[in-house]
Amino acid sequence: MGAPKPASRPRLAVWKFASCDGCQLTLLDCEDELLSLAAKVEIAYFLEASSAPGPGPYDLSLVEGSVTTPEDAERIRHVRRVSKHLVTIGACATAGGIQALRDFADVREFASVVYARPEYIATLERSTAISANVPVDFELRGCPIDKRQLLEVITAFLTGRRPVVPGHSVCVECKARGNVCVLVAHGTPCLGPVTQAGCGALCPAFNRGCYGCFGPSETTNSAALNGRLRELGMSDPELVRIYRTFNATEEPFRRASEEAEGDA
Amino acid sequence: MTHKTIRIGGLSRVEGEGALLVRARDGRIVDLQLRIYEPPRFFEALLRGRSYTEPPDITARICGICPVAYQMSACQAIEAACGVEVTGPLRDLRLLLYYGEWIESHALHIFLLHAPDFLGYDSGIAMAADHRVHLERGLALKKAGNELVADLSGRAIHPVNVRVGGFYRIPRRQELAGAAERLRLAREHALATVTWVAGFDFPDVEHDYRFLALRHPDEYAILSGSVAVSDGTGFPVSHWPEHVVEEQVPGSTALHARLDGTGGYLVGAMARYALNSGLLSPLARSAARDAGLGEVCRNPFRSIVVRAVEIVHACDEALRIIDSYAEPDAPAVPVEPRPGVGHGASEAPRGTLYHRYRIDDDALIVEADIVPPTSQNQARIEKDLWDLVEPRLALPQEELASLCERAVRNHDPCISCSTHFLDLRLDAR
Ligand code: SF4
Ligand code: SF4
């Protein structure tokens, strides 16, 4: 950003699509690492942080947000063309985000609820993950992403290796942290068994069930979990809602919710 | 007739995306539109059919910078619908969490988004070359705010510990000792920040703002209060829909809010300060006095000083809460859902944030209305731009563009609440 730097530094770009800005803010929230990171990479394009956007190509593009408008569907193709590596950050970019709840509804009806003149609003019927639009090199989960995982991913790409990000469930992290299992001990509904690790099992540490903000883990058995959640007294509509939040269109969560919906 | 349409550049260092269109004829502006083209995300529509317990987690996702504000306004609206009020130590904990967000969000705006304008840099990070001490102070302050939020609630972005009625888990007294230590240091940083920003060179501009903010009898209102307006009118939060009407304007996905049938008004740091400065902590008040702020600040460029003063206040008050903290018996009060409507408002770092929910017999939301600060300020920001641009139409394009960007940034708009980019198109004949 700004000051002249040796040309050899890798060039980083940060892009925003439909999102809350939380995932790119995670980068600015690396207060202790920000200045040393800025010395190692050229932050060439990051509109939230700098008013001097530099032209591509970029070595690493971090993409936040989902594709929800015709212009954005075009823009992501441009981003792909000017990026050597493209990494999605967060549930919006990786799974469509909360705005993908429109996929289960009629977006015109949605628009008419929010706007008096919905015809002025250009929007797509679906909110799609970046990978549904262009090839991506890596997807980082979370709503929002975890800071340590973000630093791992940036370091890995800049040094030309694969990032080490586990695909196992929140339950594994929960055990490692020494949390009491809220599902077993308190009978609190929890999506930890089917949700990907990364947050450090935050919710159980605060006495609440996981609500799935990191999306599905590599292998999931939601039929078994649904059975248990029903035993705990969850109704089918509640089951549908618990899977339909920030990663609703991810296949394992979609299936689990549709299974409950089918029974409802 | 000559006709030119010129693209002047991109609004950066704000949240979200926008564009500015100015049309002028014979040296006068005939049309000026600040366009927000952040893609709509339809929160009010997708909240329908969700349980009354869900808005705190869902609406947090409207904004990654002020998720706590969304959580607080949402909780209070639902609690109001259910006839519950959260008081005592649980309310104090909510305030404490909110102060954390204020410190973090204001530090982000001051150091990374706003200060570079006054010092002539493209970014906060570029500023590090010549102003490292200040930038490091800013990052330390931001970190102190983030850590306070994370201590109380798991993480700084989209905290997991907030629920209708209170919290999932309350902190033990000794768990807050570390936070107190960091806040004492943060308060020193905040005082130094006030002195630093007060020394910037401010353009000589004043606007005749109509301010709107919450007012609380005993505290500088953040978490709750009734609505106060600088012309002396005011109303309880539950009367909001009768006074504030949102209009859709072509070319923008954010709605414009109008107050009592007349035009725009201003929410945010300057509004709060104008209406409530007497209730700032004594230390914050003396910092404001030393910074030369006076009773009311009408120069939007000086809002950076007001924000710095608000950080002093937030640190001070947070420390006061921690010192007198008595662990509540339960992490939350029970909230029994019942059909009805509830209104809730709180002071997000960017200004008053209003929520309303209608809940049905099945404890599901049937109607949601959310009025974020940016949509309230948008009409007023356009007026600022109008007043700024018209006498300066002859300025070189680049200069005008950067002045406009600065004028927008003064108000710390969160174009992501509706929603980084300002294309200034000047069409002058
Ligand atoms: S994934 Fe969540 S935190 Fe990240 S941009 Fe989307 S809504 Fe915000
Ligand atoms: S426990 Fe689950 S919902 Fe909570 S932060 Fe972790 S992944 Fe997200």
Side-chain angles (χ1 to χ4, degrees), chain B residues 75-76 78-86 164-165 333-336 338:
Chain B
C75 284
Q76 296 188 125
I78 293 160
E79 288 153 11
C82 302
V84 171
E85 202 181 335
V86 173
V164 173
V333 296
V335 179
E336 283 306 321
R338 63 179 199 199

Side-chain angles (χ1 to χ4, degrees), chain B residues 204-273:
Chain B
D204 197 8
V205 181
E206 286 218 333
H207 295 294
D208 188 15
Y209 290 116
R210 182 156 60 143
F211 295 118
L212 181 149
L214 293 181
R215 183 185 275 156
H216 188 281
D218 319 312
E219 62 195 26
Y220 190 81
I222 289 180
L223 185 60
S224 57
S226 60
V227 180
V229 184
S230 56
D231 58 14
T233 60
F235 49 89
V237 172
S238 59
H239 291 187
W240 182 280
E242 292 149 42
H243 294 272
V244 180
V245 174
E246 280 186 297
E247 277 171 16
Q248 187 182 3
V249 291
S252 179
T253 50
L255 301 163
H256 278 200
R258 315 248 167 222
L259 180 60
D260 289 327
T262 55
Y265 59 97
L266 193 80
V267 298
M270 289 202 299
R272 288 188 291 256
Y273 183 83

Side-chain angles (χ1 to χ4, degrees), chain B residues 361-384:
Chain B
D361 291 311
D362 298 324
L364 299 179
I365 292 161
V366 286
E367 212 181 296
D369 185 22
I370 297 171
V371 186
T374 299
S375 81
Q376 298 177 68
N377 275 349
Q378 209 185 327
R380 182 57 243 195
I381 297 175
E382 285 184 350
K383 179 89 173 60
D384 273 24

Side-chain angles (χ1 to χ4, degrees), chain A residues 170 195-196 199 201-204 210-214, chain B residues 155 160:
Chain A
V170 169
T195 300
Q196 182 159 313
C199 68
L202 220 42
C203 292
C210 170
Y211 56 91
C213 80
F214 272 63
Chain B
R155 59 185 173 197
V160 305

Side-chain angles (χ1 to χ4, degrees), chain A residues 1-3 5 16-26 28-32 34-36 38 43 45-53 66 68-69 72 75 92 98-102 105 107 109-124 143-145 147 199 202-203 205-209 211 213-214 240-246, chain B residues 10-17 38-46 48-51 54 57-58 60-65 104 108 112-113 117 121-126 128-129 132 135-136 139-140 142-144 146 150-163 168-169 248-255 364 368 405 409 416 418-421:
Chain A
M1 273 184 228
K5 303 283 155 59
K16 176 188 156 69
F17 289 80
S19 68
C20 80
D21 278 45
C23 288
Q24 48 176 314
L25 182 65
T26 304
L28 295 178
D29 278 355
C30 297
E31 291 95 358
D32 294 333
L34 193 59
L35 292 178
S36 63
I43 302 177
Y45 186 94
F46 188 2
L47 283 177
E48 178 169 286
S50 169
S51 42
S66 64
T68 62
T69 65
D72 277 356
R75 188 161 61 98
C92 293
I98 182 82
Q99 51 277 7
L101 288 179
R102 70 178 67 182
V107 78
E109 194 267 338
F110 266 28
S112 71
V113 168
V114 179
Y115 298 100
R117 305 286 300 270
E119 64 274 19
Y120 290 161
I121 304 297
T123 190
L124 295 170
C143 180
I145 52 172
K147 200 183 194 156
C199 68
L202 220 42
C203 292
F206 279 86
N207 280 340
R208 74 177 286 191
Y211 56 91
C213 80
F214 272 63
V240 173
R241 286 200 298 269
I242 192 174
Y243 289 107
R244 286 193 191 157
T245 57
F246 315 105
Chain B
L11 184 68
S12 48
R13 284 185 276 127
V14 299
E15 293 304 295
E17 299 184 38
E38 171 79 10
R41 296 169 71 212
F42 304 119
F43 276 87
E44 289 151 319
L46 59 83
R48 295 167 310 155
R50 309 294 304 201
S51 163
E54 294 188 275
D57 289 329
I58 292 180
R61 269 68 185 184
I62 293 176
C63 175
I65 305 208
E104 159 270 307
L108 172 78
L112 292 177
L113 312 183
D117 278 345
Y121 295 88
D122 294 322
S123 74
I125 296 166
R132 191 158 187 121
L135 189 66
E136 284 180 346
L139 290 172
K142 186 163 155 304
K143 191 173 170 203
N146 278 334
D151 282 352
L152 292 170
S153 221
R155 59 185 173 197
I157 304 169
H158 308 333
V160 305
N161 192 22
V162 172
R163 76 189 219 191
Y168 289 91
R169 172 164 109 46
Q248 187 182 3
V249 291
S252 179
T253 50
L255 301 163
L364 299 179
E405 287 200 10
R409 248 181 246 126
S416 97
S418 52
T419 77
H420 311 258
F421 236 15

Side-chain angles (χ1 to χ4, degrees), chain A residues 86-222:
Chain A
L86 189 157
V87 169
T88 66
I89 53 171
C92 293
T94 302
I98 182 82
Q99 51 277 7
L101 288 179
R102 70 178 67 182
D103 291 26
F104 302 92
D106 169 7
V107 78
R108 289 281 115 211
E109 194 267 338
F110 266 28
S112 71
V113 168
V114 179
Y115 298 100
R117 305 286 300 270
E119 64 274 19
Y120 290 161
I121 304 297
T123 190
L124 295 170
E125 266 162 52
R126 286 170 192 279
S127 159
T128 49
I130 301 303
S131 66
N133 295 272
V134 295
V136 305
D137 298 292
F138 191 78
E139 297 182 302
L140 187 61
R141 292 185 172 282
C143 180
I145 52 172
D146 178 79
K147 200 183 194 156
R148 290 153 301 187
Q149 289 202 330
L150 176 63
L151 290 170
E152 161 61 17
V153 167
I154 295 176
T155 318
F157 273 94
L158 296 177
T159 52
R161 61 171 173 83
R162 232 15 230 177
V164 183
V165 169
H168 57 237
S169 75
V170 169
C171 287
V172 177
E173 283 187 306
C174 210
K175 302 294 161 296
R177 188 171 177 152
N179 286 341
V180 169
C181 177
V182 296
L183 189 68
V184 172
H186 307 150
T188 303
C190 179
L191 289 190
V194 296
T195 300
Q196 182 159 313
C199 68
L202 220 42
C203 292
F206 279 86
N207 280 340
R208 74 177 286 191
C210 170
Y211 56 91
C213 80
F214 272 63
S217 51
E218 257 167 28
T219 51
T220 59
N221 183 349
S222 45

